Amino acid sequence: MKDSYIGVFDSGIGGLTVVKEIVRLMPNENIIYLGDTAHVPYGTHSPEQITEYALQDTKFLSAFNLKAIVIACNTVDSIAREAVDELCNVPVFGVVEPASKVAANTTKNGKIGVIATNATVNSRAYNKAIEKYNLKAEVISVACPLLVPLIENGQFKKGDTVTRNVLKEYLDPLMKQEIDTLILGCTHYTLLTEMIEDLYPNLMIVSSSIAVAKTIKASLPLSGNEQVDRRYFVSNNVEDFKKLAQIFMGEVLTENIEQVQLG
Ligand code: DGL
């Protein structure tokens, strides 16, 4: 019998930043990825709609033999975590908690910036999670609704002037408030790490994608597969996803990509 999979889902390409880290830290794991590209971005929808999408994604993944589910989407983790937990009979890993813990322990001056989708910011999930680890921390959040569409359009390379200007609009006010640590509270934003480092070299950047992969490695019994099986599913055009995935994943092959109907 085939070894079980780690199931990972997001609204689009953003969750691949989590897959990339899982592959780097746990190269022998089988992985199933679902990107609900027909409905991206989730972050501008109502909590009810986001929960409905999250449950569809979870049901799709649950048809496979899973050892864990990873909510590679801050928006879903902030809004629909309980609903996903209720549906799953395997361990569920989310992104908000691990990133909050890292940021709370990283900040020197106690001022933590969070950039995320509208839904994540409105949920205050990061404020609540950070408070658990650092009572004194001041959390300054900003919703960045323009970033996910730009990233899904492939505009995440360091030199992209449009995305650079948009980022400055969002981040300059946070820098004026003297944040020393910034949480990339949307898995898509991990793709902007180089650009942000280039703009603000002294800022400490915490990627929710990297933080969750480390937590998974510390918590799950790991597999020893010599030949791994990695499969990718999307709910919209395969070719668009493939192009972006290949630019981004580089050496990690993403050949097994299929389009599926959710719901
Ligand atoms: N990558 C997602 C997140 O972490 C979702 C972005 C979106 O679909 O709006 O929030």
Side-chain angles (χ1 to χ4, degrees):
M1 192 179 114
K2 251 197 209 157
D3 192 36
S4 51
Y5 294 86
I6 298 181
V8 182
F9 75 92
D10 177 46
S11 57
I13 191 182
L16 289 180
T17 60
V18 177
V19 171
K20 192 173 184 180
E21 281 309 303
I22 296 177
V23 169
R24 198 173 67 80
L25 296 177
M26 295 159 268
N28 304 109
E29 297 298 326
N30 292 333
I31 298 174
I32 300 270
Y33 181 80
L34 171 65
D36 186 10
T37 47
H39 298 121
V40 67
Y42 281 3
T44 46
H45 287 290
S46 67
E48 294 72 27
Q49 184 66 75
I50 293 166
T51 305
E52 195 182 315
Y53 291 150
L55 292 180
Q56 275 176 8
D57 299 340
T58 308
K59 277 184 199 145
F60 175 82
L61 287 178
S62 299
F64 295 89
N65 175 23
L66 299 182
K67 66 197 282 189
I69 282 208
V70 184
I71 305 175
C73 175
N74 289 261
T75 308
V76 170
D77 196 25
S78 300
I79 303 287
R81 176 59 191 262
E82 274 180 28
V84 173
D85 279 346
E86 267 173 34
L87 205 63
C88 293
N89 51 13
V90 292
V92 178
F93 293 91
V95 269
V96 174
E97 192 74 27
S100 299
K101 189 172 176 186
V102 174
N105 293 325
T106 300
T107 183
K108 300 268 186 298
N109 70 0
K111 293 191 181 185
I112 301 173
V114 178
I115 53 172
T117 63
N118 296 38
T120 301
V121 169
N122 291 339
S123 75
R124 297 185 57 80
Y126 269 104
N127 302 63
K128 291 176 211 154
I130 291 168
E131 200 174 276
K132 278 196 266 170
Y133 298 106
N134 185 341
L135 264 180
K136 290 197 192 121
E138 183 186 344
V139 180
I140 310 164
S141 310
V142 61
C144 307
L146 295 177
L147 294 181
V148 167
L150 283 167
I151 293 164
E152 289 282 330
N153 196 38
Q155 293 181 254
F156 49 79
K157 289 268 172 68
K158 195 164 95 176
D160 190 289
T161 43
V162 176
T163 307
R164 225 178 148 87
N165 286 334
V166 171
L167 255 184
K168 272 176 71 60
E169 282 285 315
Y170 288 133
L171 287 178
D172 281 353
L174 294 186
M175 297 307 289
K176 284 212 180 85
Q177 293 181 73
E178 297 180 344
I179 60 159
D180 72 348
T181 303
L182 177 71
I183 297 181
L184 308 182
C186 171
T187 49
H188 280 74
Y189 303 169
T190 299
L191 288 159
L192 301 174
T193 305
E194 277 192 13
M195 199 185 282
I196 299 172
E197 278 170 351
D198 200 47
L199 283 168
Y200 310 102
N202 296 326
L203 191 60
M204 291 177 280
I205 298 172
V206 177
S207 151
S208 53
S209 316
I210 296 176
V212 68
K214 286 186 180 155
T215 302
I216 298 166
K217 186 173 181 192
S219 324
L220 264 193
L222 300 182
S223 305
N225 302 310
E226 273 170 25
Q227 269 211 315
V228 286
D229 188 17
R230 296 192 193 118
R231 303 179 61 188
Y232 300 82
F233 296 92
V234 288
S235 52
N236 206 348
N237 190 300
V238 169
E239 288 313 311
D240 292 349
F241 182 83
K242 212 173 190 170
K243 241 190 284 156
L244 286 181
Q246 270 158 1
I247 299 175
F248 165 59
M249 301 285 276
E251 79 285 3
V252 183
L253 292 180
T254 52
E255 273 162 13
N256 295 325
I257 308 180
E258 270 172 60
Q259 185 168 352
V260 288
Q261 182 114 33
L262 297 171

